[in-house]
Amino acid sequence: MATVATSDVSTKDQLSLAYTPGVAEVCEAIAADPTMSRHYTWVPNTVAIVTDGTAVLGLGDIGPDAAMPVMEGKAVLFKQFGGVDGVPICLATTDVEEIIETVVRLAPSFGGINLEDISAPRCFEIEDRLKAALDIPVFHDDQHGTAVVTLAALVNALRLTGRTAESTRVVISGAGAAGVAIAKILLAAGVKDIAVTDRKGVVSSDRTDLTPSKKALAELTADQCGRRGTLAEAFDGADVYIGVSGGTVPEEVVATMAEDAIIFAMANPNPEVHPDVAHRHARIVATGRSDFPNQINNVLAFPGIFRGAFDVHASAITESMKVAAADALAALVGDDLAEDFVIPSPFDPRVGPAVAAAVAEAARRDGVART
């Protein structure tokens, strides 16, 4: 990574324009009308990539210093696939109040905040409170980026297997950041029968060990469809399995799924159900890995989502903007839809622009666009 100027500064006149005295005119214009920063600074095209290093990839709590390579990589992807400038910010605190206060104080320098690799359940409170405090997009990619791409792949998988969202039974293993967001976006897309599981089984309100976030999740999912019990009991007859938990699902449990089952086993580097096993019992299989077909990869979502939000100076990223992004991704597969092709490649040049356009239009419909 490097910071690169967008205009030349090699003459006296250019220096006077870029710095002093010329820059003072821009400062005065923004002081008189702060919205001018959208036109005369890099702020509206720049996202802060913020982490505390507590949930980095599959490595866990490795701290802010060790998290920096991932945040740098994220910034590179923002630029490559969305034309968005990203600044990695690794915070030397895990305290919720300190993280929120720090990000709020930094916010004037950025057009949006991308929260990254912050452990659950703290990440939920941090995101919710930052959304309430700021008038710029706040997006936790581990939650929502994963959810958008999962929904896009599922839309096409349901189409291929002749299912409707309303009639599909889904099991999600993992009640952390990604599992919660996936459940919510599937509900928004019309799926009604969802059971989310953790290490102790289905997250339902008859359990006495639920955290507040899991209690709220239970009320939205298992409580609505009467699901209870173990992971194996949830699997029996399920149409779709979505894994965002790690661990391994025994093959005898996988074998109890419905005919033409759909399995998205997304743990890295070891999927919850190895594709070789999954293919014996499912029609469509996806993972989070690049060496198997149907990779559920967040890079399909977050650059285009921020690009679209920035293009209309959106004040937030709404649920319908995320669903619109998923629908745009799904539509790119088109007539090429097949068991091994339910989601486009990150290198498809149509991805970023299509997602950005869909997100910008949804922002206008939701009334969060400012241009």
Side-chain angles (χ1 to χ4, degrees):
M1 285 185 61
T3 302
V4 179
T6 59
S7 56
D8 192 28
V9 184
S10 57
T11 69
K12 181 179 179 181
D13 287 344
Q14 289 168 339
L15 180 60
S16 296
L17 182 64
Y19 194 50
T20 184
V23 75
E25 288 195 32
V26 184
C27 295
E28 289 174 343
I30 295 171
D33 180 2
T35 65
M36 288 296 100
S37 67
R38 300 176 196 165
H39 306 287
Y40 296 113
T41 75
W42 84 330
V43 166
N45 195 60
T46 306
V47 60
I49 306 167
V50 179
T51 189
D52 63 358
T54 54
V56 180
L57 299 178
L59 304 174
D61 186 355
I62 60 174
D65 296 302
M68 179 56 83
V70 179
M71 303 310 114
E72 288 183 319
K74 202 82 172 189
V76 170
L77 298 181
F78 264 115
K79 191 66 172 180
Q80 179 70 27
F81 295 103
V84 171
D85 295 303
V87 178
I89 297 176
C90 299
L91 301 178
T93 179
T94 61
D95 181 81
V96 167
E97 299 300 331
E98 290 182 352
I99 291 171
I100 292 169
E101 180 182 9
T102 301
V103 174
V104 168
R105 292 181 185 279
L106 288 170
S109 297
F110 299 98
I113 307 295
N114 184 88
L115 302 173
E116 191 77 23
D117 294 346
I118 298 173
S119 62
R122 297 156 52 255
C123 60
F124 303 125
E125 179 181 358
I126 290 169
E127 183 187 29
D128 287 345
R129 289 177 57 188
L130 285 174
K131 284 180 176 179
L134 301 176
D135 66 346
I136 57 176
V138 178
F139 186 84
H140 185 202
D141 185 53
D142 300 316
Q143 292 185 64
H144 308 301
T146 304
V148 165
V149 183
T150 299
L151 175 59
L154 186 59
V155 165
N156 281 331
L158 295 181
R159 181 158 68 98
L160 196 60
T161 58
R163 292 181 169 98
T164 65
E166 293 78 10
S167 64
T168 297
R169 226 187 103 202
V170 177
V171 176
I172 301 171
S173 67
V180 169
I182 290 169
K184 288 182 177 179
I185 202 169
L186 294 189
L187 289 167
V191 178
K192 300 182 183 302
D193 193 336
I194 303 173
V196 183
T197 68
D198 60 11
R199 292 183 180 87
K200 296 183 179 180
V202 175
V203 177
S204 57
S205 291
D206 62 326
R207 287 174 44 180
T208 59
D209 61 335
L210 300 182
T211 62
S213 62
K214 287 186 180 181
K215 175 69 173 173
L217 179 63
E219 292 170 354
L220 292 173
T221 57
D223 291 1
Q224 296 295 318
C225 48
R227 302 292 172 196
R228 302 285 186 273
T230 65
L231 175 67
E233 289 171 319
F235 255 82
D236 190 8
D239 300 300
V240 178
Y241 167 65
I242 298 171
V244 282
S245 63
T248 301
V249 181
E251 183 169 1
E252 60 268 24
V253 173
V254 177
T256 67
M257 294 184 71
E259 187 177 355
D260 280 350
I262 298 163
I263 294 177
F264 293 175
M266 299 190 291
N268 270 319
N270 299 311
E272 294 89 346
V273 183
H274 191 279
D276 292 344
V277 173
H279 278 297
R280 291 200 283 267
H281 306 283
R283 182 174 173 187
I284 298 169
V285 177
T287 71
R289 288 172 47 157
S290 60
D291 53 345
F292 293 108
N294 296 328
Q295 184 190 18
I296 308 295
N297 191 332
N298 287 17
V299 75
L300 287 162
F302 66 82
I305 288 173
F306 271 93
R307 176 74 276 144
F310 284 173
D311 285 347
V312 295
H313 300 293
S315 59
I317 294 173
T318 65
E319 201 66 25
S320 64
M321 289 162 72
K322 300 169 201 170
V323 173
D327 288 341
L329 278 174
L332 290 177
V333 172
D335 294 337
D336 295 324
L337 179 63
E339 281 81 357
D340 61 353
F341 189 61
V342 297
I343 194 75
S345 164
F347 299 104
D348 184 334
R350 301 173 300 164
V351 166
V355 171
V359 167
E361 180 57 32
R364 293 187 183 99
R365 289 195 304 268
D366 286 352
V368 297
R370 289 180 282 203
T371 59

